[in-house]
Amino acid sequence: MTPESMAVDMADTYSPCDALPAPLRSQVIDQIVHQGQLALHCTSADQRPMLEHFKTQQGYDFLVDVTAIDHLGMDRTERFEVVYVLRRTRENSHQFRLHVWLSEDSPNLPTVFDLWDSARWGERETHDMFGIVFDGNPDLRRLLMPEDYPGFPLLKDYPLRGMGERRQFPNVVPRGDQIVEEEPGDYPTSIGRGMHTPEYTEEVRRDSKPR
Amino acid sequence: MGLESLIGGEGFLTTTVNSIVNWGRKNALWPMPFGTACCAIEMMATFSGRYDISRFGAEVVRFSPRQADLLIVSGRISLKMMPVLQKIYRQMPEPKWVISMGACASCGGVFDTYTLIQGVDQFMPVDVYVPGCPPRPESLLDALAEIQKIVGEDRFDSGKHGS
Ligand code: SF4
């Protein structure tokens, strides 16, 4: 098989968009095939009817993943895109993505856990990382981060090194026959301040000069 | 002429309580492995036949902190894991020692991100650091030898470890 013929095989011309009822089909903003993978785009108002249709009418029985993209600083109409990866596992198996455009001002979407159970954890993770609220999800606790974590770390405007959460613990030290908790002291070495800062690079250069 | 000859007969030796207790302690360390990432693989290699930590008397690996006296922190410690590690440290009976194995446990390694503790020694005492990513089993054995040195030099009734 040559690379060209493989590429032709992968570029599937089938689209679930064609079988959408006309009013819904007109709401599909964009349809993109990249590397043989299909993506449909729609607005947040149409998310629930579209997903209901794909589940009940077109037999997409498996929600592979729910995640989001933060387009902060890019030239986009809306800041967020929530991505649903849908798969039909029975006959005519097929997989595509539905990208739902979501504004920064009201990052809310109706939940779809009643359609696919796997949405529970996907929505929890998306909430945990991006702060997007899925209305109606009964268990929107944090999934990966500690429950008292304040921020949403995958937002583009969230600093990579966090906002000081890494230093929040007490220092446990043995004193006599007990263990006491102290404030952690200033961290005296370059370690913990972040290794990739200009100051650190400067320090390493200075220290590595021959004396 | 030592005391032995005055006591007479065979089967006696003289020593101090301190050195015999330390001798016992340092040659029978019971490690508690706290393996959270790739370093744990090297730690397992150290425990198993090829490198065989039992040659140094530390083969009784305990998965309950209540029965261990050497905590080996091997791997990345995240924000969510740090309270657990502290709890495990508190649960270990005195005297206890800590090895921080690998770059991640000692300083966060390459993972300078929001979720990773940049060195567990900010929040709990560490006796010996093992550099490397991951450190070879030989390095861990060397760290064990360092711990044994520390144990041997302790005064067991000093109160430093609660006595
Ligand atoms: S120091 Fe290296 S080997 Fe050890 S846990 Fe970190 S990344 Fe893994």
Side-chain angles (χ1 to χ4, degrees), chain A residues 1-2 14 19 27-28 40 68 117 150 171 176 187 194 198 204 208:
Chain A
M1 195 181 257
T2 64
Y14 170 82
Q27 298 301 320
V28 173
L40 304 184
D117 266 338
N171 187 9
Y187 215 56
V204 170
S208 53

Side-chain angles (χ1 to χ4, degrees), chain B residues 37-39 75-76 102-104 111 132-134:
Chain B
C38 12
C39 270
R76 300 179 279 275
C104 287
F111 304 100
C133 176

Side-chain angles (χ1 to χ4, degrees), chain A residues 160-161 167 181 187 191, chain B residues 86 90 107 112 114 121-122:
Chain A
L160 173 65
R161 299 193 183 86
R167 300 275 290 152
E181 294 190 351
Y187 215 56
I191 300 162
Chain B
Q86 284 185 334
R90 284 156 168 268
C107 71
D112 190 5
Y114 58 92
D121 56 345
Q122 298 172 75

Side-chain angles (χ1 to χ4, degrees), chain A residues 143-145 149 153 160-162 165-172 174 176-177 179 181 184 187 191-192 194-195, chain B residues 79-80 82-83 86 89-90 94 96 106-107 109 112-118 121-125 159-160 162:
Chain A
L143 182 63
L144 301 171
M145 301 308 292
Y149 195 77
L160 173 65
R161 299 193 183 86
E165 298 92 353
R166 299 191 301 198
R167 300 275 290 152
Q168 65 180 326
F169 301 100
N171 187 9
V172 297
D177 52 3
I179 286 187
E181 294 190 351
Y187 215 56
I191 300 162
M195 308 222 283
Chain B
L79 282 186
K80 222 171 172 176
M82 193 67 217
Q86 284 185 334
Y89 177 76
R90 284 156 168 268
E94 294 283 357
K96 55 192 169 193
S106 307
C107 71
D112 190 5
T113 65
Y114 58 92
T115 185
L116 214 84
I117 298 296
Q118 303 293 297
D121 56 345
Q122 298 172 75
F123 308 115
M124 57 188 276
K160 180 184 158 215

